[in-house]
Amino acid sequence: EEQLVQSGAEVRKPGESLKISCKATGYNFLNYWIGWVRQMPGKGLEWMGIIYPADSDTRYGPSFQGLVTISADESISTAYLQWSSLEASDTAVYYCASLSGHYDSSGSFYGYFDLWGRGTPVTVSP
Amino acid sequence: EIVMTQSPGTLSVSPGERATLSCRASQSFSSNLAWYQQRPGQAPRLLIYDASTRATGIPARFSGSGSGPEFTLTISSLQSEDFAVYYCQQYNSWPWTFGLGTKVEIK
């Protein structure tokens, strides 16, 4: 069964670092883009960024560029989202999701999130 | 950045009735649009991709239509489990963007 298993809830203080994980099982992790989506309390979904594990090609949403790092370890089929210095505004649920889609003739990828993890709640509070 | 505007913000519908949700893009594109359902306390679930293709396991009462800039998600006969928040998302150009969602509530 295809599944994304996310790491558990985290509580941190402002200024601390954090790395959360998302382990893929039941499908070929290398050959599917995988991404992260933020949901702040009571709010909608925000696309953070995606990574292609086979070559680590990574794209970030402009609101998240430089603020988070997305990475992947193909040896353990796991994607990561990390912060070097958290802020209170990072309090949210973070979902990982794998993508399906298509490529155009120039090699650009057009994808939608078709398999979701259950989410990792992150609380940042003094 | 393409802005996705969903309407209405909240839709009150009785069980068994039809629900029509709209999603308008700030720029026109063909069909690179997905719809997701999020029930309270759960992760989102893919319903529709490529504007009109149902994802695996999605009941036939869910249908998507339209092309840029206007897209529609229709739920033909609402069941109790369909009361949720629905999001559209464009994947036509970077950065991919979500709408703010439409909450479908019991009337």
Side-chain angles (χ1 to χ4, degrees):
Chain A
E1 179 191 4
E2 299 174 348
Q3 200 172 0
L4 295 173
V5 180
Q6 296 191 230
S7 50
E10 302 278 3
V11 179
R12 293 285 189 278
K13 291 179 167 44
E16 294 186 339
S17 63
L18 177 64
K19 190 174 188 177
I20 62 175
S21 66
C22 170
K23 182 173 177 60
T25 60
Y27 74 94
N28 186 348
F29 177 74
L30 278 184
N31 297 125
Y32 288 85
W33 291 85
I34 188 166
W36 292 90
V37 174
R38 182 174 78 176
Q39 187 166 41
M40 299 176 75
K43 301 298 184 182
L45 306 175
E46 299 174 88
W47 179 79
M48 300 180 71
I50 58 174
I51 187 168
Y52 191 68
D55 62 7
S56 295
D57 185 8
T58 310
R59 314 288 171 87
Y60 292 94
S63 298
F64 299 96
Q65 180 81 48
L67 300 179
V68 298
T69 301
I70 294 171
S71 60
D73 184 339
E74 60 185 71
S75 68
I76 54 173
S77 300
T78 299
Y80 300 97
L81 176 66
Q82 66 181 92
W83 296 258
S84 58
S85 181
L86 287 160
E87 301 179 0
S89 58
D90 293 316
T91 295
V93 177
Y94 294 87
Y95 294 101
C96 67
S98 66
L99 291 92
S100 293
H102 63 274
Y103 290 87
D104 66 10
S105 57
S106 67
S108 295
F109 178 66
Y110 301 86
Y112 45 88
F113 297 100
D114 65 346
L115 176 67
W116 292 72
R118 292 191 173 186
T120 295
V122 173
T123 302
V124 184
S125 180
Chain B
E1 172 174 319
I2 297 179
V3 177
M4 307 301 292
T5 302
Q6 292 189 241
S7 60
T10 302
L11 186 61
S12 298
V13 185
S14 299
E17 290 188 340
R18 173 186 295 258
T20 302
L21 289 66
S22 295
C23 176
R24 168 178 272 271
S26 62
Q27 302 172 28
S28 189
F29 57 88
S30 58
S31 61
N32 291 325
L33 182 111
W35 289 93
Y36 304 88
Q37 175 195 66
Q38 187 176 32
R39 296 171 177 149
Q42 295 188 15
R45 175 174 72 144
L46 176 69
L47 297 176
I48 301 286
Y49 62 92
D50 293 347
S52 61
T53 303
R54 272 191 305 278
T56 302
I58 301 304
R61 64 180 181 274
F62 291 93
S63 63
S65 63
S67 62
E70 292 278 0
F71 299 90
T72 301
L73 175 70
T74 301
I75 312 171
S76 59
S77 177
L78 272 154
Q79 307 298 303
S80 58
E81 62 267 30
D82 301 335
F83 292 95
V85 180
Y86 293 84
Y87 297 94
C88 61
Q89 179 232 330
Q90 67 82 17
Y91 47 95
N92 192 73
S93 63
W94 302 105
W96 298 343
T97 46
F98 289 94
L100 294 181
T102 290
K103 181 180 181 181
V104 178
E105 65 177 24
I106 301 174
K107 187 174 182 179

